[in-house]
């Protein structure tokens, strides 16, 4: 089974600073990788996804992530944090379940705080 | 299309009571998923439907849990004899294809068992 590790359950950055949220995965096959964002008491919104095309993936709200196979990483970055980026971020890997579908396995999440 | 809709948004129930949640997926999506998210954790897979057929169930889905998707449209998740450990956010998602390109999630139903 695949697994996802997110380093740092809580990250604080100043407004305008670089955002870096770390994600490492374990997979025996080339994975599909995702970042989702969750605002308080809301569901998950897809930020971006890697599906074996370009290794640098651009998402919504200025976020991007780079797939590095040699490091089994898929870190999420944003050059300049905005107050509205404060939320919880989840990295996920997709695995074929054998029942005609792909099942998402999530990390434990990283809560991002943005300091004015 | 208004996305994936879940009702109710919040549910408070006494231990031992039964509860039922509803999920309306995106209309053209034939695959529907239920996930559970407890405090401080990422979502965990519960079960999956392709049209009306329930094709996969997690070991997390005890005998007190049952899910249905009659006619392959909306789905319900019922928990019988609720326990305090059932308190969580229950998330529904749907996908058009196999889900390899990700799912669309609803806003979730937050269950509190007192």
């Amino acid at each position: 089974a695949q697994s996802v590790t997110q380093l740092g359950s809580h990250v604080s950055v100043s407004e305008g600073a670089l955002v870096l949220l770390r994600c490492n995965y374990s997979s025996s096959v080339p994975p599909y990788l995702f970042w989702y964002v969750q605002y308080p008491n809301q569901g998950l919104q897809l930020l971006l996804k890697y599906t074996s095309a370009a290794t640098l993936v651009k998402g919504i709200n200025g976020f991007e992530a780079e797939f590095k196979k040699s490091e089994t990483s898929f870190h999420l970055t944003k050059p300049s944090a905005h107050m509205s980026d404060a939320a919880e971020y989840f990295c996920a890997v997709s695995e074929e379940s054998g029942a005609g579908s792909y099942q998402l396995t999530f990390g434990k999440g990283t809560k991002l705080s943005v300091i004015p | 299309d208004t996305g994936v809709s879940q009702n109710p948004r919040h549910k408070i129930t006494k231990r031992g009571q039964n509860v039922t949640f509803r999920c309306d997926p995106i209309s053209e999506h034939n695959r529907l998923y239920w996930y559970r998210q407890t405090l401080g954790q990422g979502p965990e897979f519960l079960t999956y439907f392709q049209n009306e057929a329930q094709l996969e169930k997690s070991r997390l889905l005890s005998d007190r849990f049952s899910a249905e998707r009659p006619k392959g449209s909306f789905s319900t998740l019922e928990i019988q004899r609720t326990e305090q450990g059932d308190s969580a956010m229950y998330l529904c998602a749907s996908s058009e294809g196999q889900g390899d390109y990700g799912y669309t999630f609803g806003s979730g139903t937050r269950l509190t068992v007192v």
Side-chain angles (χ1 to χ4, degrees):
Chain A
Q2 302 188 56
S3 66
V4 175
T5 302
Q6 291 184 241
L7 296 176
S9 59
H10 197 175
V11 170
S12 291
V13 300
S14 297
E15 190 175 16
L18 171 72
V19 176
L20 171 60
L21 304 183
R22 299 177 187 274
C23 172
N24 289 87
Y25 67 92
S26 69
S27 173
S28 58
V29 296
Y32 294 150
L33 294 159
F34 307 83
W35 276 99
Y36 283 87
V37 61
Q38 187 176 35
Y39 297 98
N41 294 313
Q42 297 292 319
L44 287 89
Q45 180 183 7
L46 181 65
L47 271 180
L48 49 80
K49 58 191 175 190
Y50 167 75
T51 56
S52 71
T55 56
L56 182 63
V57 181
K58 294 188 184 298
I60 62 172
N61 302 338
F63 284 94
E64 62 183 36
E66 186 173 8
F67 171 67
K68 291 187 177 181
K69 184 178 178 181
S70 60
E71 299 177 6
T72 60
S73 68
F74 190 56
H75 302 331
L76 182 71
T77 60
K78 182 174 180 178
S80 177
H82 191 273
M83 295 298 294
S84 61
D85 295 328
E88 191 153 21
Y89 293 80
F90 292 93
C91 182
V93 63
S94 176
E95 178 178 26
E96 191 170 7
S97 68
S101 180
Y102 282 72
Q103 190 178 117
L104 289 178
T105 299
F106 287 87
K108 291 188 176 182
T110 297
K111 186 168 288 188
L112 175 67
S113 297
V114 181
I115 304 164
Chain B
D1 186 1
T2 57
V4 178
S5 176
Q6 291 189 246
N7 288 289
R9 291 293 309 276
H10 303 274
K11 179 70 177 179
I12 300 174
T13 190
K14 291 183 179 179
R15 186 163 50 95
Q17 297 294 304
N18 298 346
V19 293
T20 300
F21 311 140
R22 177 179 170 124
C23 171
D24 288 88
I26 293 173
S27 56
E28 60 266 28
H29 288 184
N30 63 352
R31 287 171 168 83
L32 184 147
Y33 314 82
W34 285 98
Y35 278 70
R36 183 176 71 183
Q37 184 180 18
T38 53
L39 205 60
Q41 301 294 320
E44 295 173 292
F45 172 78
L46 290 179
T47 189
Y48 149 65
F49 290 85
Q50 183 172 338
N51 300 311
E52 67 276 8
Q54 187 176 19
L55 297 184
E56 197 167 359
K57 292 194 287 187
S58 161
R59 58 181 168 73
L60 293 176
L61 213 66
S62 75
D63 291 345
R64 297 183 297 104
F65 287 70
S66 63
E68 294 181 340
R69 193 183 181 196
K71 302 178 184 178
S73 56
F74 71 92
S75 175
T76 57
L77 178 67
E78 181 184 16
I79 309 174
Q80 296 183 324
R81 306 181 302 281
T82 52
E83 301 173 356
Q84 286 190 321
D86 297 332
S87 296
M89 174 80 91
Y90 290 85
L91 294 162
C92 177
S94 66
S95 69
E96 184 175 6
Q98 290 183 305
D100 46 341
Y101 285 14
Y103 313 155
T104 301
F105 281 87
S107 296
T109 294
R110 180 167 294 284
L111 173 67
T112 302
V113 182
V114 296

